[in-house]
């Protein structure tokens, strides 16, 4: 098969998936069709022997299982904390703490504190689901509350304890922690553009104190995010958003006096989060002390998300029958979510393992450094269409790193740029927007075109800036 035909054959599964997604075929079905296409192309145009296939299975099989368990823990924790009322108690305490404070301060607490915190812990757009109703109570219209909440999805690479980063690192052949650090470095444009969008939409022309507060929020979140990845990327989003919550509550304390009392119910609601963060930190410290002899799974968010979900189930104030119903509901919700993520992962694994991704990258690298500059745009397209940074990472990571390496560019920087752009693009993804609108808008009501244009504008601006930054740094 000629070089050009092999390139077209390797490109076919990706094009097939993207076309199906554009015509609104459900992502799971599009992914299955793409996987079948990848298997057929791999077997005919890029065949590998049984030993190579078994080696790929041995290398990537544990990753697939880990991602599935991470998603199970995230879904379970979200279900229990929401249905049991724990999320509501936390949100109500924060709302009470900010009552009477400057509206901009409360706005930033909800958008850049609570939204990314909940998204980092559980993912699946839960941050917007929780904060959009609170933004309406703050005085925003439902449409503006949805758009503002979506603009707070600035730490999506670390959503649900960073499975997207893990997939990108594994398929792209990069170190997980180093990729987390570089992803954090390149998140600055997203933080800035997101903040500009929030202020323009809700404040107009900010006064100097408001502008100063917004600048401090961006810089503190970025400054905490980068070193937090050294503790392990799964916790970075949690710690960076928690730092903003603490910062803005501290400002409120100085400006207005004592915060509301911390009740027993609030402490109980916080217990699963404490278990999750403390467990990963303690396990990471134990691993560092023990050296290579301690199994790395004890630091995995897969383990600690399941433990946190179990703790939440045990402490939730519900009858036993309702608890079992929650478990059953979690499994029903988890199956399509995990299936969707895994099918896109399998496409990426097949393309990487058979050499299809490498062939695409080598051919595309013929475009020179234009390829490097376009990497964030490719990631953004994947994130927008799949509604998942994990799906985007699975499809493009191997080709991105191979292409960058072929050009002599830094594959780590290129992959980080792809990951950041693919993550911010999901704020405009139709499935994510539909989830957010369903919380505060009337049944059947959609975002007006101008509101969608705001989200797309933020995605476009972030992607263009990221392309320039990646081109300069890679």
């Amino acid at each position: 098969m000629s070089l050009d035909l092999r390139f077209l054959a390797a490109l076919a599964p990706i094009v097939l998936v993207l076309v199906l997604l554009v015509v609104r075929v459900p992502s799971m079905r599009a992914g299955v069709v793409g996987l079948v296409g990848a298997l057929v192309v791999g077997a005919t145009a890029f065949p590998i022997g049984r030993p190579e296939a078994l080696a790929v299975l041995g290398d990537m099989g544990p990753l697939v299982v880990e991602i599935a368990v991470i998603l199970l823990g995230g879904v379970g924790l979200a279900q229990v904390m929401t249905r049991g009322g724990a999320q509501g108690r936390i949100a109500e305490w924060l709302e009470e703490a900010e009552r009477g404070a400057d509206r901009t301060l409360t706005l930033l607490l909800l958008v850049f504190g609570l939204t990314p915190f909940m998204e980092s812990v559980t993912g699946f757009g839960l941050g917007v689901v929780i904060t959009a109703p609170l933004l309406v109570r703050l005085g925003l219209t439902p449409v503006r509350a949805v758009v503002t909440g979506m603009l707070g999805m600035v730490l999506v690479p670390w959503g649900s304890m960073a499975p997207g980063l893990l997939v990108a690192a594994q398929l792209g052949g990069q170190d997980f922690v180093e990729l987390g650090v570089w992803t954090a470095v390149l998140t600055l444009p997203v933080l800035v553009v997101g903040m500009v969008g929030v202020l323009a939409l809700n404040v107009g022309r900010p006064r100097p104190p408001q502008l100063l507060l917004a600048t401090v929020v961006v810089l503190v979140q970025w400054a905490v995010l980068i070193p937090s990845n050294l503790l392990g990327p799964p916790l970075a989003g949690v710690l960076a958003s928690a730092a903003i919550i603490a910062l803005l509550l501290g400002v409120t304390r100085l400006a207005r006096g004592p915060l509301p009392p911390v009740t027993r119910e609030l402490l109980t609601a916080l217990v699963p989060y404490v278990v999750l963060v403390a467990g990963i930190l303690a396990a990471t410290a134990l691993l560092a002390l023990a050296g290579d002899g301690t199994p790395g799974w004890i630091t995995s968010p897969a383990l600690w998300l399941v433990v946190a979900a179990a703790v939440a189930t045990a402490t939730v104030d519900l009858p036993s029958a309702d608890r079992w119903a929650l478990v059953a509901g979690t499994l029903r919700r988890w199956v399509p979510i995990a299936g969707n993520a895994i099918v896109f992962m399998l496409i990426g694994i097949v393309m990487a393992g058979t050499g299809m991704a490498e062939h695409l990258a080598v051919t595309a690298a013929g475009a020179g450094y234009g390829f490097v500059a376009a990497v964030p745009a490719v990631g953004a397209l994947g994130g927008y269409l799949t509604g998942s940074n994990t799906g985007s990472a699975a499809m493009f990571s191997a080709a991105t790193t191979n292409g960058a390496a072929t050009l002599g560019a830094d594959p780590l920087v290129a992959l980080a740029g792809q990951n950041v752009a693919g993550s911010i693009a999901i704020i405009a993804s139709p499935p994510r927007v539909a989830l957010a609108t369903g919380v505060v808008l009337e049944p059947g009501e959609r975002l007006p075109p101008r509101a969608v244009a705001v989200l797309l504008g933020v995605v476009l601006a972030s992607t263009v800036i990221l392309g320039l930054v990646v081109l300069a740094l890679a």
Side-chain angles (χ1 to χ4, degrees), residues 27 102 112 130 138 171 182 189 192 253 293 357 407 435 439 464:
S27 59
D102 180 85
F112 291 94
I130 291 172
L138 186 63
L171 294 182
W182 268 106
V192 172
R253 173 70 175 81
L407 289 168
L435 175 64
V439 180
V464 170

Side-chain angles (χ1 to χ4, degrees), residues 51-143:
E52 291 84 357
L54 291 176
V56 171
L57 182 62
D59 289 340
M60 294 300 171
L63 173 64
V64 173
V65 173
E66 184 175 9
I67 296 301
V69 178
I70 288 174
L71 295 175
L72 175 61
V75 171
L77 185 60
Q79 288 280 97
V80 176
M81 297 294 281
T82 301
R83 295 281 298 278
Q87 303 283 25
R89 284 191 288 274
I90 295 170
E92 288 169 5
W93 186 90
L94 289 172
E95 186 181 32
E96 177 64 25
E98 294 300 310
R99 183 165 292 145
D102 180 85
R103 183 173 178 267
T104 303
L105 193 154
T106 306
L107 180 72
L108 298 184
L109 174 69
L110 295 176
V111 177
F112 291 94
L114 187 59
T115 297
F117 180 86
M118 294 302 181
E119 186 66 20
S120 296
V121 174
T122 59
F124 320 114
L126 183 65
V128 180
V129 170
I130 291 172
T131 55
L134 296 178
L135 290 169
V136 171
R137 288 161 69 169
L138 186 63
L140 276 64
T141 65
V143 168

Side-chain angles (χ1 to χ4, degrees), residues 25-233:
V25 172
S27 59
M28 173 78 84
R29 294 180 188 175
V32 170
V33 173
L35 177 59
V36 172
L39 290 170
V40 171
V41 171
T44 55
F46 297 87
I48 59 175
R50 181 174 178 177
E52 291 84 357
L54 291 176
V56 171
L57 182 62
D59 289 340
M60 294 300 171
L63 173 64
V64 173
V65 173
E66 184 175 9
I67 296 301
V69 178
I70 288 174
L71 295 175
L72 175 61
V75 171
L77 185 60
Q79 288 280 97
V80 176
M81 297 294 281
T82 301
R83 295 281 298 278
Q87 303 283 25
R89 284 191 288 274
I90 295 170
E92 288 169 5
W93 186 90
L94 289 172
E95 186 181 32
E96 177 64 25
E98 294 300 310
R99 183 165 292 145
D102 180 85
R103 183 173 178 267
T104 303
L105 193 154
T106 306
L107 180 72
L108 298 184
L109 174 69
L110 295 176
V111 177
F112 291 94
L114 187 59
T115 297
F117 180 86
M118 294 302 181
E119 186 66 20
S120 296
V121 174
T122 59
F124 320 114
L126 183 65
V128 180
V129 170
I130 291 172
T131 55
L134 296 178
L135 290 169
V136 171
R137 288 161 69 169
L138 186 63
L140 276 64
T141 65
V143 168
R144 185 166 292 186
V146 169
V147 175
T148 301
M150 295 298 283
L151 293 179
M153 303 274 284
V154 290
L155 302 184
V156 171
W158 298 271
S160 194
M161 309 301 283
L165 266 173
L166 181 60
V167 170
Q170 291 282 346
L171 294 182
Q174 303 300 310
D175 181 78
F176 186 31
V177 172
E178 290 182 359
L179 179 59
V181 171
W182 268 106
T183 301
V185 170
L186 296 185
T187 295
L188 180 60
V190 170
L191 293 173
V192 172
V193 173
M195 180 64 76
V196 170
V198 169
L199 293 179
L201 193 62
N202 297 284
V203 179
R205 179 175 294 179
R207 293 180 283 107
Q210 294 172 321
L211 190 59
L212 175 62
L213 181 63
T215 302
V216 170
V217 166
V218 168
L219 293 179
V220 168
Q221 193 151 55
W222 189 52
V224 174
L225 185 64
I226 295 173
S228 294
N229 280 276
L230 299 176
L231 296 174

